[in-house]
Short mmCIF file of all heavy atoms in Angstrom, two decimals:
data_model
loop_
_atom_site.label_atom_id
_atom_site.label_comp_id
_atom_site.label_asym_id
_atom_site.label_seq_id
_atom_site.Cartn_x
_atom_site.Cartn_y
_atom_site.Cartn_z
N TRP M 190 2.69 9.10 -6.07
CA TRP M 190 3.23 10.43 -5.82
C TRP M 190 4.35 10.75 -6.81
O TRP M 190 4.40 11.84 -7.37
CB TRP M 190 3.72 10.53 -4.37
CG TRP M 190 4.33 11.85 -4.05
CD1 TRP M 190 5.60 12.09 -3.64
CD2 TRP M 190 3.69 13.13 -4.11
NE1 TRP M 190 5.81 13.43 -3.43
CE2 TRP M 190 4.64 14.10 -3.72
CE3 TRP M 190 2.41 13.56 -4.45
CZ2 TRP M 190 4.36 15.46 -3.66
CZ3 TRP M 190 2.12 14.92 -4.41
CH2 TRP M 190 3.09 15.85 -4.01
N SER M 191 5.22 9.79 -7.07
CA SER M 191 6.33 10.07 -7.97
C SER M 191 5.81 10.24 -9.40
O SER M 191 6.36 11.02 -10.18
CB SER M 191 7.41 9.00 -7.87
OG SER M 191 7.12 7.92 -8.70
N SER M 197 3.87 16.46 -13.58
CA SER M 197 3.78 17.91 -13.47
C SER M 197 5.12 18.59 -13.73
O SER M 197 5.17 19.79 -13.95
CB SER M 197 3.29 18.29 -12.07
OG SER M 197 4.21 17.80 -11.11
N TYR M 202 14.10 18.93 -12.35
CA TYR M 202 15.49 19.30 -12.06
C TYR M 202 16.28 18.10 -11.57
O TYR M 202 17.42 17.88 -11.99
CB TYR M 202 15.52 20.42 -11.01
CG TYR M 202 16.92 20.92 -10.73
CD1 TYR M 202 17.66 21.51 -11.75
CD2 TYR M 202 17.49 20.81 -9.46
CE1 TYR M 202 18.95 21.98 -11.51
CE2 TYR M 202 18.76 21.28 -9.22
CZ TYR M 202 19.50 21.86 -10.24
OH TYR M 202 20.77 22.31 -10.01
N GLU M 203 15.68 17.28 -10.72
CA GLU M 203 16.38 16.08 -10.23
C GLU M 203 16.71 15.15 -11.39
O GLU M 203 17.79 14.58 -11.46
CB GLU M 203 15.51 15.36 -9.19
CG GLU M 203 15.43 16.12 -7.88
CD GLU M 203 14.07 16.05 -7.22
OE1 GLU M 203 13.58 14.93 -7.00
OE2 GLU M 203 13.48 17.12 -6.93
N TYR M 205 17.11 16.07 -14.45
CA TYR M 205 18.16 16.72 -15.24
C TYR M 205 19.53 16.45 -14.61
O TYR M 205 20.49 16.11 -15.31
CB TYR M 205 17.88 18.23 -15.34
CG TYR M 205 19.09 19.05 -15.67
CD1 TYR M 205 19.57 19.10 -16.98
CD2 TYR M 205 19.76 19.77 -14.68
CE1 TYR M 205 20.69 19.85 -17.30
CE2 TYR M 205 20.88 20.52 -15.00
CZ TYR M 205 21.35 20.56 -16.30
OH TYR M 205 22.45 21.29 -16.60
N GLN M 207 20.43 13.99 -12.83
CA GLN M 207 20.77 12.59 -13.07
C GLN M 207 21.29 12.41 -14.49
O GLN M 207 22.33 11.79 -14.71
CB GLN M 207 19.51 11.76 -12.86
CG GLN M 207 19.81 10.32 -12.52
CD GLN M 207 18.52 9.52 -12.50
OE1 GLN M 207 17.42 10.08 -12.39
NE2 GLN M 207 18.64 8.22 -12.61
N HIS M 209 22.53 14.66 -16.36
CA HIS M 209 23.79 15.40 -16.46
C HIS M 209 24.94 14.56 -15.91
O HIS M 209 26.01 14.47 -16.52
CB HIS M 209 23.67 16.71 -15.68
CG HIS M 209 24.77 17.67 -15.99
ND1 HIS M 209 24.67 18.59 -16.99
CD2 HIS M 209 26.00 17.82 -15.46
CE1 HIS M 209 25.79 19.28 -17.05
NE2 HIS M 209 26.62 18.84 -16.13
N HIS M 213 27.09 14.22 -19.09
CA HIS M 213 27.91 15.43 -19.30
C HIS M 213 28.71 15.80 -18.06
O HIS M 213 28.64 16.91 -17.56
CB HIS M 213 27.02 16.63 -19.67
CG HIS M 213 25.95 16.31 -20.65
ND1 HIS M 213 26.18 16.30 -22.01
CD2 HIS M 213 24.66 15.97 -20.48
CE1 HIS M 213 25.06 15.98 -22.64
NE2 HIS M 213 24.12 15.76 -21.73
N THR M 216 31.06 19.22 -17.66
CA THR M 216 30.62 20.60 -17.40
C THR M 216 29.79 20.64 -16.11
O THR M 216 29.11 19.67 -15.79
CB THR M 216 29.74 21.13 -18.54
OG1 THR M 216 28.68 20.19 -18.74
CG2 THR M 216 30.51 21.31 -19.83
N LEU M 219 23.54 23.19 -14.49
CA LEU M 219 22.87 24.47 -14.26
C LEU M 219 22.31 24.52 -12.84
O LEU M 219 22.06 23.48 -12.23
CB LEU M 219 21.68 24.63 -15.23
CG LEU M 219 22.00 24.70 -16.72
CD1 LEU M 219 20.71 24.59 -17.53
CD2 LEU M 219 22.72 25.98 -17.05
N ARG M 221 19.27 25.27 -10.15
CA ARG M 221 17.86 24.94 -10.24
C ARG M 221 17.07 26.04 -10.97
O ARG M 221 16.26 25.78 -11.84
CB ARG M 221 17.27 24.74 -8.84
CG ARG M 221 15.82 24.31 -8.85
CD ARG M 221 15.29 24.22 -7.44
NE ARG M 221 15.50 22.91 -6.84
CZ ARG M 221 14.63 21.91 -6.93
NH1 ARG M 221 13.53 22.05 -7.63
NH2 ARG M 221 14.87 20.77 -6.34
N ALA M 223 18.18 28.41 -13.09
CA ALA M 223 18.53 28.53 -14.50
C ALA M 223 17.92 27.38 -15.30
O ALA M 223 17.40 27.57 -16.41
CB ALA M 223 20.04 28.55 -14.67
N PHE M 224 17.98 26.18 -14.72
CA PHE M 224 17.41 25.03 -15.42
C PHE M 224 15.93 25.21 -15.63
O PHE M 224 15.41 24.98 -16.72
CB PHE M 224 17.66 23.74 -14.63
CG PHE M 224 16.82 22.60 -15.14
CD1 PHE M 224 17.17 21.93 -16.30
CD2 PHE M 224 15.65 22.24 -14.49
CE1 PHE M 224 16.38 20.92 -16.81
CE2 PHE M 224 14.85 21.22 -14.99
CZ PHE M 224 15.22 20.56 -16.14
N LYS M 226 14.14 27.84 -15.79
CA LYS M 226 13.88 28.88 -16.77
C LYS M 226 13.93 28.29 -18.18
O LYS M 226 13.01 28.45 -18.98
CB LYS M 226 14.96 29.95 -16.62
CG LYS M 226 14.70 31.25 -17.31
CD LYS M 226 15.67 32.30 -16.74
CE LYS M 226 15.42 33.67 -17.32
NZ LYS M 226 15.90 33.88 -18.66
N TRP M 228 13.83 25.10 -19.06
CA TRP M 228 12.86 24.02 -19.20
C TRP M 228 11.48 24.58 -19.55
O TRP M 228 10.79 24.09 -20.44
CB TRP M 228 12.81 23.24 -17.88
CG TRP M 228 11.85 22.10 -17.84
CD1 TRP M 228 12.04 20.87 -18.42
CD2 TRP M 228 10.59 22.06 -17.19
NE1 TRP M 228 10.96 20.07 -18.17
CE2 TRP M 228 10.06 20.77 -17.41
CE3 TRP M 228 9.85 22.97 -16.44
CZ2 TRP M 228 8.82 20.37 -16.91
CZ3 TRP M 228 8.63 22.58 -15.94
CH2 TRP M 228 8.12 21.30 -16.18
N LYS M 232 9.36 24.26 -23.04
CA LYS M 232 8.08 23.58 -22.99
C LYS M 232 7.01 24.32 -23.77
O LYS M 232 6.04 23.73 -24.21
CB LYS M 232 7.67 23.45 -21.52
CG LYS M 232 6.65 22.37 -21.33
CD LYS M 232 6.30 22.15 -19.90
CE LYS M 232 4.95 21.48 -19.90
NZ LYS M 232 4.32 21.29 -18.68
N TRP M 233 7.16 25.62 -23.91
CA TRP M 233 6.09 26.39 -24.53
C TRP M 233 6.40 26.91 -25.91
O TRP M 233 5.79 27.85 -26.37
CB TRP M 233 5.66 27.53 -23.59
CG TRP M 233 4.89 26.94 -22.48
CD1 TRP M 233 5.31 26.70 -21.22
CD2 TRP M 233 3.57 26.43 -22.56
NE1 TRP M 233 4.34 26.08 -20.50
CE2 TRP M 233 3.26 25.91 -21.30
CE3 TRP M 233 2.62 26.36 -23.58
CZ2 TRP M 233 2.04 25.31 -21.03
CZ3 TRP M 233 1.40 25.78 -23.31
CH2 TRP M 233 1.13 25.27 -22.03
N THR M 234 7.40 26.30 -26.57
CA THR M 234 7.65 26.66 -27.96
C THR M 234 7.01 25.57 -28.82
O THR M 234 7.37 24.42 -28.70
CB THR M 234 9.17 26.72 -28.21
OG1 THR M 234 9.75 27.45 -27.12
CG2 THR M 234 9.48 27.43 -29.49
N GLY M 235 6.07 25.97 -29.65
CA GLY M 235 5.39 25.00 -30.51
C GLY M 235 3.98 24.71 -30.04
O GLY M 235 3.51 25.30 -29.08
N VAL M 236 3.30 23.80 -30.74
CA VAL M 236 1.91 23.48 -30.43
C VAL M 236 1.88 22.54 -29.24
O VAL M 236 2.27 21.39 -29.35
CB VAL M 236 1.20 22.81 -31.62
CG1 VAL M 236 -0.28 22.63 -31.33
CG2 VAL M 236 1.39 23.62 -32.88
N LYS M 237 1.45 23.01 -28.10
CA LYS M 237 1.45 22.18 -26.91
C LYS M 237 0.05 21.91 -26.39
O LYS M 237 -0.14 21.07 -25.53
CB LYS M 237 2.25 22.86 -25.78
CG LYS M 237 3.67 23.15 -26.16
CD LYS M 237 4.46 21.88 -26.32
CE LYS M 237 5.61 22.14 -27.25
NZ LYS M 237 6.76 21.33 -27.09
#
Side-chain angles (χ1 to χ4, degrees):
Chain M
W190 178 241
S191 85
S197 61
Y202 184 62
E203 289 142 54
Y205 159 77
Q207 203 187 341
H209 194 91
H213 317 276
T216 53
L219 296 170
R221 183 183 271 270
F224 166 78
K226 194 165 183 284
W228 179 76
K232 200 176 159 187
W233 286 103
T234 315
V236 186
K237 301 293 155 153

